[in-house]
Amino acid sequence: MPTNAALAETAALIGDPARAAMLAALLDGRALTAGELAAAAGVTAQTASGHLGRMTEAGLLAMERQGRHRYHRLATPAVARLIEGLLEVAAAAPRRAVATGPRDAALRQARTCYDHLAGRLAVAMADAMRARALIELTPDGGAVTPAGQDFLADLGIHATPARTRLFCRPCLDWSERRPHVAGVLGAALCSRCFELGWVRRRAGGRALEITPVGWAGFADAFGIAPEAVRG
Amino acid sequence: MPTNAALAETAALIGDPARAAMLAALLDGRALTAGELAAAAGVTAQTASGHLGRMTEAGLLAMERQGRHRYHRLATPAVARLIEGLLEVAAAAPRRAVATGPRDAALRQARTCYDHLAGRLAVAMADAMRARALIELTPDGGAVTPAGQDFLADLGIHATPARTRLFCRPCLDWSERRPHVAGVLGAALCSRCFELGWVRRRAGGRALEITPVGWAGFADAFGIAPEAVRG
DNA sequence: GCGATGCTTCGGCCGCGGCCGAAGCCCCGG
DNA sequence: CCGGGGCTTCGGCCGCGGCCGAAGCATCGC
């Protein structure tokens, strides 16, 4: 069965420490240069180059040249979901010296996932929006209600020209095991939160810091209690 | 970051041709003996034994001894979803000598996925049930309506003691890219279809054959037109 | 008890593939 | 046009891990 071989090939591609580190570094949806990815993986530029080429050819990554830099990002949302799924079953595996440090706690609170928000913050946002009937979520799509349109407009998100599919995919994140808003709407919400200064990238990785303005904003606009998001 | 290492380890585990073949063989949710899996992977018993041990220890597989046989199955639904996700991105990769044969066509029509039905048949069933408001599907759960309870009872599925979570997870299958009913309800529907003789395992693998009785039953109970399911 | 069958453990062979140094290519700024 | 930085290609080293033969346990049938 040829489809089996492809399965193994793809998994093997992800199953190398250096490549896995690169993929994890890209999981927040940003595009990074080859050099940055080499550093993230702890290998030299030439080694990284080989890895990046293979992953791009296999359709895991997409590459874009910009001047003398080459920016690499995850090729599709499906790849991001796949990596998250891998993290999920890896985390469910028998605990081997886990040492759940503060970095993990920060990740669980708020992070980016591909192009949208994840973690307790994102789940709370999705819950709040559903509770107020601003959005509906179905497994294969989702919709913004008229009330939701107004709400989003108030937030400063006007994107939606009538039939844009502002879908939500579960993107069941590995920490919360509950869905949050992904898709076009998720991306719009995420970038708006950045614009408003509600969240900010933390130094070390893809964990996000919620600013004082953010806590106020989330409470105000979404009715989110800080203690529901804080560890 | 220790979580990265776990990611690579898990992926590497899946990324071996022999192990991938075993996992693919288990994807339909049955439990197979070590010998059968060795044959499926095309390796000797002792090699297979090593692979099975490692996958079990990593939480990918679960094992159960029965007499002098040891039955292995996927440890959790999450593992099944992961493999399907892997197949999805592997299939999306640049076509390399695909040769989409009749086996693929059969798989696309109807197959089992872990413990429930997948393929066009399963998607049609989910669509039909939602269209008639027999079930609701949300990304993190799902519900059977009162009308749905009656419908299921007519089908011979009485399982549901009040608050049983008959959840649906998208299980977005790689062929249809649309959700179908998984979870407890999915499993119940699947086994009931077998009991009723509506579907039958095909010789070669996890593709299912829809019997004449089945075509009639699906049309009758779900209003599914055969041409919506046939290739 | 004895042999057969199913599975696991041990030991050793071997090849795939990741790694880096060196060299080459491309694109930029001056 | 030239120097420099980012990235890729080439070549060779080396170790991890998959593979099997042989031997060791377990379980069943008789």
Side-chain angles (χ1 to χ4, degrees):
Chain A
M1 200 186 300
T3 145
N4 262 11
L7 167 65
E9 260 170 69
T10 306
L13 220 44
I14 305 174
D16 171 82
R19 286 190 294 257
M22 294 179 181
L23 290 168
L26 292 169
L27 197 52
D28 63 5
R30 284 178 302 179
L32 301 179
T33 66
E36 289 170 317
L37 288 168
V43 296
T44 59
Q46 62 270 32
T47 300
S49 176
H51 288 317
L52 291 170
R54 294 182 56 183
M55 289 195 283
T56 301
E57 186 176 7
L60 291 180
L61 299 184
M63 194 260 283
E64 202 173 333
R65 29 205 340 155
Q66 212 164 106
R68 49 185 163 180
H69 294 279
R70 304 200 177 183
Y71 282 89
H72 300 263
R73 57 179 173 76
L74 301 187
T76 69
V79 176
R81 266 178 287 151
L82 172 60
I83 306 291
E84 287 267 338
L86 228 16
L87 284 170
E88 183 188 348
V89 331
R95 307 257 144 269
R96 74 159 93 254
V98 268
T100 316
R103 289 204 71 266
D104 263 17
L107 274 180
R108 259 186 263 282
Q109 176 176 291
R111 63 182 185 276
T112 49
C113 167
Y114 196 62
D115 57 3
H116 54 274
L117 298 172
R120 279 192 302 273
L121 173 64
V123 169
M125 289 169 69
D127 284 348
M129 294 177 74
R130 277 200 285 173
R132 300 184 185 181
L134 303 176
I135 56 172
E136 289 161 7
L137 300 181
T138 59
D140 60 334
V144 178
T145 64
Q149 301 261 3
D150 296 343
F151 172 80
L152 292 174
D154 283 350
L155 254 188
I157 298 176
H158 306 279
T160 163
R163 287 308 303 146
T164 298
R165 235 183 119 220
L166 295 176
F167 62 94
C168 162
R169 222 183 296 90
C171 197
L172 222 321
D173 71 50
W174 107 90
S175 63
E176 296 312 299
R177 310 281 175 99
R178 303 211 33 227
H180 50 246
V181 179
V184 177
L185 175 56
L189 279 169
C190 177
S191 60
R192 188 61 183 146
C193 287
F194 273 99
E195 281 171 26
L196 291 170
W198 289 7
V199 296
R200 187 160 51 201
R201 291 204 183 278
R202 276 182 131 96
R206 58 190 187 108
L208 296 179
E209 179 188 355
I210 303 173
T211 65
V213 195
W215 288 113
F218 288 122
D220 207 39
F222 291 84
I224 292 175
E227 47 276 14
V229 172
R230 288 207 155 96
Chain B
M1 202 187 300
T3 147
N4 261 9
L7 167 65
E9 259 170 67
T10 306
L13 219 44
I14 306 174
D16 171 81
R19 287 191 293 258
M22 294 179 181
L23 290 168
L26 292 170
L27 197 52
D28 62 5
R30 286 178 301 179
L32 301 180
T33 67
E36 290 170 317
L37 288 168
V43 295
T44 60
Q46 62 270 33
T47 300
S49 176
H51 288 316
L52 291 170
R54 295 182 54 182
M55 288 195 284
T56 301
E57 187 176 7
L60 291 180
L61 298 184
M63 194 260 284
E64 200 171 335
R65 25 198 353 147
Q66 212 162 105
R68 50 182 166 185
H69 295 279
R70 304 202 175 180
Y71 283 89
H72 299 262
R73 58 180 172 75
L74 300 187
T76 68
V79 176
R81 267 179 286 150
L82 171 59
I83 307 291
E84 287 268 337
L86 229 15
L87 284 169
E88 183 188 347
V89 332
R95 308 257 144 268
R96 70 159 97 250
V98 269
T100 315
R103 290 204 73 265
D104 263 17
L107 273 181
R108 259 186 263 280
Q109 178 177 288
R111 65 182 183 279
T112 49
C113 166
Y114 195 60
D115 59 1
H116 54 272
L117 298 172
R120 278 192 303 274
L121 173 64
V123 169
M125 288 168 68
D127 285 347
M129 293 176 74
R130 276 200 285 173
R132 300 184 185 183
L134 303 177
I135 57 171
E136 289 161 6
L137 301 182
T138 59
D140 60 336
V144 178
T145 64
Q149 302 258 5
D150 297 343
F151 173 80
L152 292 174
D154 283 350
L155 255 188
I157 298 176
H158 306 277
T160 162
R163 287 307 304 144
T164 300
R165 237 183 117 221
L166 296 175
F167 61 95
C168 163
R169 222 180 297 86
C171 197
L172 224 318
D173 69 50
W174 106 89
S175 63
E176 298 309 299
R177 311 281 175 98
R178 304 213 31 227
H180 51 245
V181 179
V184 177
L185 175 56
L189 280 168
C190 178
S191 59
R192 188 62 183 146
C193 287
F194 272 100
E195 281 172 26
L196 292 170
W198 290 6
V199 296
R200 188 159 50 202
R201 291 202 183 280
R202 276 183 133 96
R206 60 190 186 109
L208 296 179
E209 178 189 356
I210 302 173
T211 65
V213 195
W215 288 113
F218 288 122
D220 209 38
F222 291 85
I224 292 175
E227 47 277 11
V229 173
R230 286 207 155 95

